[in-house]
Each structure stands twice: as C-alpha cells, then as structure tokens.
Amino acid sequence: MEFSQLNRSKCDDVHYLAFADDKGKIRLGIILGERGGLLRSPFSAPFGGMEERGPQRLSYYLDAAVELKAYGRACGKPVAVTLPPACYDGDCSRFSRQALCLLSGGGRQLYADFNYHYSLSDFSLFDERLWASARRNLSASVRRGLEFECCVDPTDAEIEEIYSIIRVNHESHGYPVHMTLDDIVATSKIISMDFFIVRKEGKGIASAIIYHTSPETVQLIYWGDLPEGRDFRPMNFLSYNIIRHYAESIPASGVRFFDLGPASSDGIPAVGLCDFKESIGCRLTPKITIEI
C-alpha cells in the first residue's frame, strides 16, 4: 500500500479490493490503478497480481477471478493483470494458479514478455554457461582494471551518481526513465534497495539499482553504462559481479534468484538484449498479461 500511495500520481485513481469468503474472512486482495481506459495491476511496477493471506484454496482464486471481472464491468473498464515470471511462483504455484484462474474465469492473454532470471545456485557453472563472446568481453573488462562497488547505505551523492549514469544510458538509446531521482530516493525508504557501480580509474561508467522484491528474489530495476565507457565492456563486468555478490551471500540472505527483468515491450522482444541476457547464462520464462 505504501508503494501504491507513493506512485498515486501516475494514474487517475487507485482501487483497493479485498476478496472474502462466505464467512467474511478476507482471503485475497489486489490493488488496481485506473489509467488509459483500464484498471491495471500493476499501474507503476514491473508486475502485480493478487496478494494472499497465506496459501489459499484454488476455489478462492476461481471465485476472485469472477468477482474481479464483475468489478471491472461495474466500473466500465476491463482489468489488466501482469503476473510475475516463474521465479516468483514458489512451491505453492501461487502465480500459476492466478493465471489459470483468471483465464478460466473469462480472461484472455494480451501478450507475454520475455523475462530473464539467474538461479544463484548455478553460479558455480557461470563460466561453463557463458557464450564465447560473453567470455571474451568479461575477460577484456577484467584486463582493463575495472572496479566494482556495492554501495552500502549510499549517500545522496552516490545515489545521484548511479542514477545519472543510468539516465544518460537510457537517453542514448532513446529509452524512457520512468522514475526520477526523487522517486528512487523516496522508494528506497519503503523498499530495500541495493546500488552498484563500476569505475574505471575512479570514474563511474556503469551502474545498477536493484530491489529486494521478495525474500527469495532480487529484481533489477535499472542498469546501464556510459557511451564513452562501452569499449571497456562494463556491462559484462557489472552483471558478473552482481551475480557473484548475491550468490556468495547464500545461505545467509536466503536470496535464490536474480530477476533481470524483461527484454521485450508488450511482448515484442529486443533481440539484442535477449542475446545479452542469454549470453551470461540467464533463463527465459514468460511474464504474461491477462485482460479480464
């Protein structure tokens, strides 16, 4: 709720729904943002879906899908739900249940994004799973004397430096940066975040911002390099060191997966980005959006 309230200005209205059983006990909930003729979950995040009060029976998900569709009709707007990829599913198949119940309740899949994650237990096989080109680029970056930093309790100046590298990177590619620096700072107050930077002779040339999205998964929110530093192959160096950082924290942290996010937009893949994520050993799973 705190995150939704923080991003309240990014939609026309926010709807908080709770689904109760026939005895009035709340079982599930969902937050929807009203924008562009749709009720969206999420309205300002990589994915949404229903929250649950502990593991729930399949019948509750089926009933909730029916009620969600009815609520959208009463509002005169379809509901669009983007669900997390498989690395968030857990042993109870929480989000697979939601997908199947939304579809069986009258929903339809709008598209599926190409989402990549790295299983941190596979880190011992990192070198074996690298493509030859990725291995050459990583070796080149190491020879260039790059330095990797994890900013623990970063100062405002460090956050600004890390963000500015990402902003310049996105602008150079013509990509939008949906979060301002102030958004990043405000979000860091309510969600645990990690900040990383790669330096060459003291100058930052690549950086990353990562959320602790669930107890088992960290999620890449933004990363990028400066155009003038690309010959040093800092993204190969950055991705390797981030994966190593989290892999070496097991089992103390409990983190099992590094979610590198989608390499597509509305289901249309950016093949170059797909190739990069696959070249470093990431696994591909769909992140689906369902309209009901």
Side-chain angles (χ1 to χ4, degrees), residues 22-58:
D22 55 6
K23 296 181 180 179
K25 183 176 181 179
I26 294 174
R27 298 289 181 174
L28 300 162
I30 192 168
I31 300 173
L32 306 172
E34 187 175 330
R35 191 180 74 231
L38 291 171
L39 298 175
R40 300 174 182 267
S41 172
F43 64 89
S44 181
F47 51 73
M50 297 181 189
E51 294 293 329
E52 58 187 25
R53 299 186 70 182
Q56 301 295 326
R57 296 177 186 173
L58 187 67

Side-chain angles (χ1 to χ4, degrees), residues 14 47 55 104 109 113-114 117 132 141 164 172 194 206 215 234 242 246 254 264 273 280 285:
V14 181
F47 51 73
S104 69
Q109 182 175 307
D113 276 313
F114 291 59
H117 74 273
S141 70
S164 66
S172 72
D194 294 332
I242 290 174
Y246 289 118
S264 61
L273 185 54
I280 62 175
T285 56

Side-chain angles (χ1 to χ4, degrees), residues 157-269:
E158 287 175 325
I159 294 175
E160 184 173 2
E161 181 184 17
I162 287 167
Y163 177 83
S164 66
I165 292 171
I166 291 164
R167 179 180 53 76
V168 170
N169 171 270
H170 281 51
E171 289 174 350
S172 72
H173 288 291
Y175 302 150
V177 183
H178 296 292
M179 297 180 73
T180 66
L181 176 60
D182 288 343
D183 290 336
I184 293 290
V185 173
T187 304
S188 70
K189 308 300 183 186
I190 57 175
I191 294 178
S192 180
M193 298 168 67
D194 294 332
F195 297 85
F196 302 95
I197 190 167
V198 171
R199 299 187 185 278
K200 171 63 175 175
E201 297 176 352
K203 176 180 171 55
I205 60 171
S207 63
I209 299 172
I210 292 174
Y211 285 2
H212 286 253
T213 312
S214 76
E216 293 189 336
T217 308
V218 292
Q219 180 186 36
L220 177 67
I221 299 301
Y222 287 128
W223 69 354
D225 57 4
L226 295 178
E228 61 266 29
R230 286 178 190 152
D231 288 346
F232 300 118
R233 307 301 184 193
M235 295 306 294
N236 293 86
F237 189 79
L238 177 64
S239 56
Y240 165 74
N241 279 284
I242 290 174
I243 292 169
R244 185 181 69 172
H245 170 83
Y246 289 118
E248 290 179 348
S249 71
I250 298 172
S253 69
V255 175
R256 297 172 56 203
F257 302 105
F258 174 30
D259 175 14
L260 284 81
S264 61
S265 178
D266 295 340
I268 301 173

